[in-house]
Amino acid sequence: MRARSLVVVLLVVVGLCGCKERKNAVLILNEQWSVNQAMADCQTRARQEGPTCTTDPRVEVRDSDAQLANAFETEPACSGLTLLTLNVSDHQRPLNSRRNWWLFLELSGPGSDERRFTVSRSDDPDARWALTGQGKMDFIAKSACDFVQGRTGKL
């Protein structure tokens, strides 16, 4: 009986710690990954004779990141979270911590103001239990913040 009570108390403590981690979480916007992905997409389109990229994808990604930062600041669901843009490092592993979440943006196509996005617990956009979707920056900010804070999804 005493062991069962101890297990219940430990579960409550771990649960509370997990909530605090989510409320004080850092959402890392991996700009470098997005730029690399956009460059690769433009090269693929050029080889396959699809719709070509008419603007520099680096500029388009950075513009999207700025729009997302603005949406993040005004979105009430993001209160208590920190948005950090990673744009210079090939050595991102030290950024992995229990408080960090990762956000990956992809260009949706020429002229589109929507972006595909993935929110992941790790720096791998293909990780299991990630949130994926597509939308405008306000939708992405709200969706990502709700997911990180545990209000949507199953993670």
Side-chain angles (χ1 to χ4, degrees), residues 85-148:
T85 301
L86 176 68
N87 58 8
V88 295
S89 175
D90 284 324
H91 307 289
Q92 59 200 24
R93 293 276 179 210
L95 290 173
N96 286 334
S97 87
R98 292 174 52 157
R99 290 182 46 207
N100 292 353
W101 294 74
W102 292 81
L103 175 59
F104 304 91
L105 291 179
E106 293 181 67
L107 302 180
S108 297
S112 175
D113 60 348
E114 290 191 350
R115 300 290 179 255
R116 291 183 301 263
F117 68 95
T118 301
V119 180
S120 174
R121 193 71 167 131
S122 75
D123 61 354
D124 177 8
D126 297 319
R128 291 180 51 178
W129 299 300
L131 173 70
T132 60
Q134 181 169 332
K136 295 182 180 182
M137 293 306 153
D138 292 342
F139 174 77
I140 294 171
K142 179 167 181 15
S143 299
C145 292
D146 282 343
F147 184 67
V148 167

Side-chain angles (χ1 to χ4, degrees), residues 39-60:
M39 297 294 287
D41 286 348
C42 283
Q43 291 170 355
T44 300
R45 287 185 199 151
R47 281 192 307 267
Q48 295 177 351
E49 298 180 13
T52 60
C53 296
T54 57
T55 61
D56 183 347
R58 293 172 291 217
V59 172
E60 200 170 344

Side-chain angles (χ1 to χ4, degrees), residues 19-38:
C19 290
K20 184 174 181 171
E21 281 179 22
R22 284 180 176 256
K23 289 183 192 269
N24 297 319
V26 175
L27 184 59
I28 300 170
L29 177 57
N30 196 333
E31 181 180 89
Q32 183 179 11
W33 180 91
S34 297
V35 166
N36 291 341
Q37 187 71 28

